[in-house]
Amino acid sequence: MSRSVLNVGQVRIHSGSVSKEDAMREAADILEAAGAVTSAYFDAMQQREQAVSTYMGNELAIPHGTNETKNAILDSALSFVRYDGGVDWDGERVTFVVGIAGKGDEHLEILSQIALIFSEEDEIARLKSAQTPEELFGLLSAVNE
């Protein structure tokens, strides 16, 4: 990838909890504000979620669109939101909601970077203890490599 898929403006921390739908809406809104997707991407995320849950384990959900809705993706980008109050993701507790939009096959590379970060309990603990979006962004910088 030739440019960064994540910048500090796409990273947020909320002390409370929201519904799964609200978390997905925020992920889509951040991606849209970054110029990565059209307004149709939220619907694409909902379609994907109806087909298969995007809950990944380790308190992580990665909402994204379907292959049929690739035309809603303008560029590759991520949104990263930590909900300290948790999100009920079909009965699973989610703390981290990572919205993803991948142009072409770039989403596979982005997903592998996210998977590496979330495969380590120490990394997850660091992500949970970050005090600011800037600090959280610093811990996630590997996704831009």
Side-chain angles (χ1 to χ4, degrees):
M1 289 170 292
S2 56
R3 63 168 197 82
S4 297
V5 294
L6 185 68
N7 67 52
V8 73
Q10 291 155 238
V11 177
R12 298 183 184 162
I13 298 173
H14 296 298
S15 59
S17 180
V18 298
S19 69
K20 175 179 151 183
E21 185 171 332
D22 286 346
M24 289 172 53
R25 166 68 68 195
E26 183 169 18
D29 287 351
I30 292 169
L31 292 171
E32 186 177 354
V37 300
T38 69
S39 59
Y41 200 63
F42 175 67
D43 291 335
M45 284 179 160
Q46 289 186 304
Q47 288 173 31
R48 165 70 70 199
E49 202 63 40
Q50 288 168 358
V52 62
S53 177
T54 56
Y55 173 72
M56 300 294 164
N58 288 342
E59 300 180 50
L60 170 67
I62 306 179
H64 56 284
T66 62
N67 288 334
E68 296 76 35
T69 56
K70 284 270 192 197
N71 59 338
I73 298 173
L74 306 173
D75 209 347
S76 296
L78 286 176
S79 63
F80 193 99
V81 184
R82 188 181 81 197
Y83 296 96
D84 293 342
V87 178
D88 179 348
W89 209 274
D90 302 324
E92 299 289 350
R93 186 181 196 283
V94 167
T95 302
F96 304 98
V97 178
V98 180
I100 186 170
K103 194 79 176 146
D105 287 334
E106 287 185 343
H107 66 286
L108 299 174
E109 188 178 330
I110 297 166
L111 281 171
S112 70
Q113 292 285 352
I114 296 294
L116 282 172
I117 292 169
F118 278 87
S119 66
E120 298 290 329
E121 286 185 27
D122 291 349
E123 288 294 322
I124 296 168
R126 278 193 278 279
L127 294 172
K128 282 183 161 184
S129 66
Q131 298 296 306
T132 65
E134 293 78 10
E135 186 180 349
L136 200 50
F137 174 73
L139 295 169
L140 297 165
S141 61
V143 299
N144 287 324
E145 294 171 5

